[in-house]
Amino acid sequence: MVKGYQMPDDFLWGSAVAAHQLEGAWNVDGKGVSIADVMLAGKSGVRREVTDTVLPDGNYPNHRGIDFYHTFPEDFKRMKELGLKAFRTSIAWTRIFPNGDEAEPNEAGLAFYDRMIDEMHKNGIEPVITLSHFEMPLHLVNAYGGFRNREVIDLFVKFADTVIRRYGDRVKYWMTFNEINNQTEWMNPHHLLQDSGLKDYRPGEAQELMYQASHYELVASALVTKHAHETAQKLGTDIQVGCMIAMNPVYPASSKPEDILEAQRAMQTRYYWGDVHANGVYPNWLKNFWQHKGFKIDITAADEKLLAENTVDYVGFSYYMSWTVSDTGDEWLEYNEAGNHGDNPFLKKSDWGWQIDPVGMRWAMNWMWDRWHKPLFIVENGFGAYDKLTDNHQIHDDYRIAYFQGHIQAMEQAAVLDGVPLIGYLTWSGIDLVSASTGEMLKRYGFIYVDLDDMGQGTGERYYKDSFKWYQRVIATNGATLDSLD
Ligand code: BG6
C-alpha cells in the first residue's frame, strides 16, 4: 500500500520530451544542423564525441530519434489513452531559423509545429514548450562562438518572439533554457556545448566563459519574458514564462559543520541561476567570488534593471537524483563536483549510477518555494532503465513503477501537506527516446516502448509497458491511487 494524496482538479499530469531526442527528420523541410546533430552515440561512462560537421558514416542517433516528426498523430492518440493532460516538448530552433541568423523564418518549420500543437489540442492535451533544449544551430557555435557573444541574445530573442507570436494563442506555458544550470559542471565540455554553445576554448578560460555565457542567457530569458507578456496582452491570452532548472539536491556528507557549509555553497553555486531568474538579482557571494577569481563578467546597469523587472512566472525543474559533498578546506568554498562528491550510503543507484532519492523531491520543492516564492512545475522526473520486451510484446517494468511511486508520493506530500504551489507533474519521457547524455535508445524512460536499438535497428513499433497502465490509473484518480497493479 502506497499512500497517495488527491491533487487539485486543474493539476497538469503529463510527460515531457525534447525535439532533438525524438523527432528525427534532422534535415527535412529546410531544417538546419543543430549541435545535437553532430553528437555521435556514446554509452554509460563514455562521453558522446562531437564532430565538426556531419560525417557520412557517423552514428548520430538524433538524426533518427523515434521518427516522431512523422508519427506524432498516432503517438498523441496513445498519450490521450494514457490520460495525459499536458505534454512538454521543445521547438527545434533549426527548424525555424536553420542557421540561427536568417532574416526570415522557415515557413515549413513553423507549419510543422502548427500541426503538432493542433494535434495536442485535438487530443485534449495542453502543450508546454521549451524554447532552447540543447539545440542551438551549429552555425551560431562556429560563426559566433555561441552565447559567449552578446549578439546571440538578439538572435535567440528573435526566434523566441517568432514562435511565441505564432503559437501564443494556443500555448500558455513556455520555458526559456532547459537545465540552464547544468553548466555548473563547466569541466564537462558536453554541458558547455549543450547549454551555451561553447566550443574551442582554452581549458583555463572555461569557468569564466561559462559565467559570461550564462549571464547573456539570463538576459535573453528576461527579454523573452518581457516580450511574451507584451504579446499576451496583444493577443488577449495568458502566457506564462518559466525558467528550467536541473534540481539535484546537494546534501552534506555528514553533520560536521564544515560539510554543511560546503553543501550550502554547493546549493548556492548550482542554483544561482534560479536566484537571478526568480528574484532578479545576483547573490553577493557570487560577485565576491568572481572578484576573487579575477573574472570580468560583462554585466551592464541596463542588464541588471532588465533582470530585476522581468522575473519568471514560475520555476520549472527536472528532478532525477541527489548528491552529497564534503569539506575541502577551501576558504572560498569553491564547489567542485568532480572533487568532493561522494556516494550517499542510504541510497541505491540506477544502472547509470544515478542515486535514487524520492525524499529529496519533497526537500527540494520546499527549498525552492522558500527561496524563490514562485509556483513550481515539475517538468521532468523519470527512471532510465534497460527494459526487456517479452515474446508477446510485454514489458514488466515494476522498477519504473517503484521509482514513480516514491517520487509522486513525495511530490504530493510537498504540495498537499506542505502547501508548496505546484502547476503540474510531467514524467520524462512518456515514450522512449534518445538519451541526451549518452545517445542510447536502450536507456529507456517511456511508458510506451519503441522497438528500436542504439543503432536505430528495429521495427519502430510501439508497445505499452506495465507502467503505462499504472500511470493511467494515477492520472484517473488524480494522484490518489499509487498502489502497484494487481
Ligand atoms: C535531462 C534533460 O537532463 O535529463 C533531458 O533535460 C534528458 O534532455 C534527461 O534526456 C535524462 O537524461 P539522459 O541523459 O538519461 O537522457
Side-chain angles (χ1 to χ4, degrees), residues 21 133-134 178-179 320 354 380 428 435-437 443 445:
Q21 290 173 258
H133 194 131
F134 310 160
N178 183 65
E179 295 190 334
Y320 291 92
W354 293 17
E380 285 186 31
W428 189 264
S435 155
S437 58
K443 187 180 187 188
Y445 283 91

Short mmCIF file of all heavy atoms in Angstrom, two decimals, residues 21 133-134 178-179 320 354 380 428 435-437 443 445, ligand 1:
data_model
loop_
_atom_site.label_atom_id
_atom_site.label_comp_id
_atom_site.label_asym_id
_atom_site.label_seq_id
_atom_site.Cartn_x
_atom_site.Cartn_y
_atom_site.Cartn_z
N GLN A 21 15.48 14.76 -29.38
CA GLN A 21 15.60 13.40 -28.88
C GLN A 21 14.57 12.45 -29.48
O GLN A 21 14.67 11.24 -29.29
CB GLN A 21 15.53 13.39 -27.36
CG GLN A 21 16.76 14.02 -26.72
CD GLN A 21 16.68 14.19 -25.22
OE1 GLN A 21 16.43 15.29 -24.74
NE2 GLN A 21 16.88 13.12 -24.48
N HIS A 133 16.37 23.63 -25.86
CA HIS A 133 16.65 22.37 -25.15
C HIS A 133 17.84 21.68 -25.82
O HIS A 133 17.67 20.73 -26.57
CB HIS A 133 15.41 21.47 -25.17
CG HIS A 133 15.48 20.32 -24.22
ND1 HIS A 133 14.45 20.00 -23.36
CD2 HIS A 133 16.45 19.41 -23.97
CE1 HIS A 133 14.79 18.95 -22.64
NE2 HIS A 133 16.00 18.55 -23.00
N PHE A 134 19.04 22.21 -25.60
CA PHE A 134 20.28 21.61 -26.13
C PHE A 134 20.26 21.55 -27.67
O PHE A 134 20.74 20.57 -28.26
CB PHE A 134 20.49 20.19 -25.60
CG PHE A 134 20.36 19.99 -24.11
CD1 PHE A 134 20.11 18.72 -23.57
CD2 PHE A 134 20.54 21.04 -23.23
CE1 PHE A 134 20.02 18.51 -22.21
CE2 PHE A 134 20.44 20.84 -21.84
CZ PHE A 134 20.18 19.57 -21.34
N ASN A 178 16.50 25.05 -21.12
CA ASN A 178 16.44 23.78 -20.39
C ASN A 178 17.69 23.56 -19.53
O ASN A 178 18.81 23.69 -20.01
CB ASN A 178 16.34 22.62 -21.39
CG ASN A 178 16.20 21.28 -20.69
OD1 ASN A 178 15.19 21.04 -20.03
ND2 ASN A 178 17.20 20.42 -20.81
N GLU A 179 17.46 23.24 -18.26
CA GLU A 179 18.56 22.90 -17.34
C GLU A 179 19.74 23.85 -17.51
O GLU A 179 20.89 23.43 -17.69
CB GLU A 179 18.99 21.44 -17.53
CG GLU A 179 17.88 20.47 -17.14
CD GLU A 179 18.32 19.02 -17.08
OE1 GLU A 179 19.29 18.67 -17.78
OE2 GLU A 179 17.71 18.25 -16.33
N TYR A 320 15.99 14.15 -10.86
CA TYR A 320 16.34 12.74 -11.07
C TYR A 320 17.05 12.11 -9.87
O TYR A 320 16.91 10.94 -9.61
CB TYR A 320 17.26 12.59 -12.29
CG TYR A 320 16.56 12.88 -13.59
CD1 TYR A 320 16.57 14.16 -14.12
CD2 TYR A 320 15.86 11.89 -14.26
CE1 TYR A 320 15.90 14.44 -15.31
CE2 TYR A 320 15.18 12.16 -15.44
CZ TYR A 320 15.21 13.44 -15.96
OH TYR A 320 14.53 13.72 -17.12
N TRP A 354 22.89 6.85 -11.19
CA TRP A 354 22.13 8.00 -10.68
C TRP A 354 21.47 7.59 -9.36
O TRP A 354 20.70 6.62 -9.33
CB TRP A 354 21.06 8.45 -11.70
CG TRP A 354 21.65 9.03 -12.96
CD1 TRP A 354 22.94 8.90 -13.40
CD2 TRP A 354 20.99 9.83 -13.95
NE1 TRP A 354 23.11 9.58 -14.59
CE2 TRP A 354 21.93 10.15 -14.95
CE3 TRP A 354 19.67 10.31 -14.10
CZ2 TRP A 354 21.61 10.92 -16.08
CZ3 TRP A 354 19.36 11.08 -15.22
CH2 TRP A 354 20.31 11.38 -16.19
N GLU A 380 10.25 17.40 -15.51
CA GLU A 380 10.96 16.14 -15.82
C GLU A 380 11.18 15.37 -14.53
O GLU A 380 11.70 15.94 -13.56
CB GLU A 380 12.35 16.38 -16.42
CG GLU A 380 12.37 16.83 -17.83
CD GLU A 380 13.80 16.91 -18.40
OE1 GLU A 380 14.68 16.13 -17.98
OE2 GLU A 380 14.01 17.78 -19.25
N TRP A 428 9.51 12.25 -17.38
CA TRP A 428 10.39 12.04 -18.52
C TRP A 428 10.35 10.56 -18.79
O TRP A 428 10.68 9.78 -17.92
CB TRP A 428 11.84 12.49 -18.18
CG TRP A 428 12.71 12.47 -19.40
CD1 TRP A 428 13.55 11.48 -19.79
CD2 TRP A 428 12.83 13.51 -20.39
NE1 TRP A 428 14.17 11.81 -20.97
CE2 TRP A 428 13.74 13.07 -21.35
CE3 TRP A 428 12.22 14.76 -20.57
CZ2 TRP A 428 14.08 13.83 -22.47
CZ3 TRP A 428 12.57 15.51 -21.66
CH2 TRP A 428 13.50 15.05 -22.61
N SER A 435 18.67 9.09 -25.42
CA SER A 435 19.19 9.71 -24.19
C SER A 435 20.07 10.92 -24.55
O SER A 435 20.87 10.88 -25.49
CB SER A 435 20.01 8.68 -23.42
OG SER A 435 20.97 9.31 -22.61
N ALA A 436 19.90 11.99 -23.78
CA ALA A 436 20.68 13.21 -24.07
C ALA A 436 22.15 13.03 -23.71
O ALA A 436 23.03 13.47 -24.44
CB ALA A 436 20.12 14.40 -23.31
N SER A 437 22.43 12.38 -22.60
CA SER A 437 23.82 12.30 -22.17
C SER A 437 24.60 11.23 -22.92
O SER A 437 25.77 11.43 -23.24
CB SER A 437 23.92 12.06 -20.66
OG SER A 437 23.26 10.87 -20.31
N LYS A 443 18.68 3.27 -22.98
CA LYS A 443 18.39 3.88 -21.68
C LYS A 443 16.97 4.42 -21.79
O LYS A 443 16.74 5.54 -22.21
CB LYS A 443 19.38 5.00 -21.38
CG LYS A 443 19.25 5.57 -19.97
CD LYS A 443 20.25 6.69 -19.70
CE LYS A 443 20.20 7.11 -18.23
NZ LYS A 443 21.01 8.31 -17.95
N TYR A 445 13.04 5.51 -20.90
CA TYR A 445 12.30 6.27 -19.89
C TYR A 445 10.79 6.20 -20.06
O TYR A 445 10.05 6.72 -19.23
CB TYR A 445 12.69 7.74 -19.95
CG TYR A 445 14.02 8.11 -19.34
CD1 TYR A 445 15.18 8.13 -20.09
CD2 TYR A 445 14.10 8.47 -17.99
CE1 TYR A 445 16.40 8.50 -19.52
CE2 TYR A 445 15.30 8.84 -17.42
CZ TYR A 445 16.45 8.86 -18.18
OH TYR A 445 17.65 9.23 -17.62
C1 BG6 B 1 17.65 15.99 -18.59
C2 BG6 B 1 17.39 16.56 -19.95
O1 BG6 B 1 19.00 16.18 -18.37
O2 BG6 B 1 17.51 14.66 -18.35
C3 BG6 B 1 16.83 15.58 -20.94
O3 BG6 B 1 16.63 17.74 -19.91
C4 BG6 B 1 17.43 14.23 -20.70
O4 BG6 B 1 17.08 16.08 -22.23
C5 BG6 B 1 17.02 13.75 -19.31
O5 BG6 B 1 17.11 13.28 -21.65
C6 BG6 B 1 17.53 12.38 -18.93
O6 BG6 B 1 18.90 12.30 -19.16
P1 BG6 B 1 19.56 11.21 -20.10
O7 BG6 B 1 20.92 11.66 -20.26
O8 BG6 B 1 19.42 9.93 -19.39
O9 BG6 B 1 18.79 11.25 -21.37
#
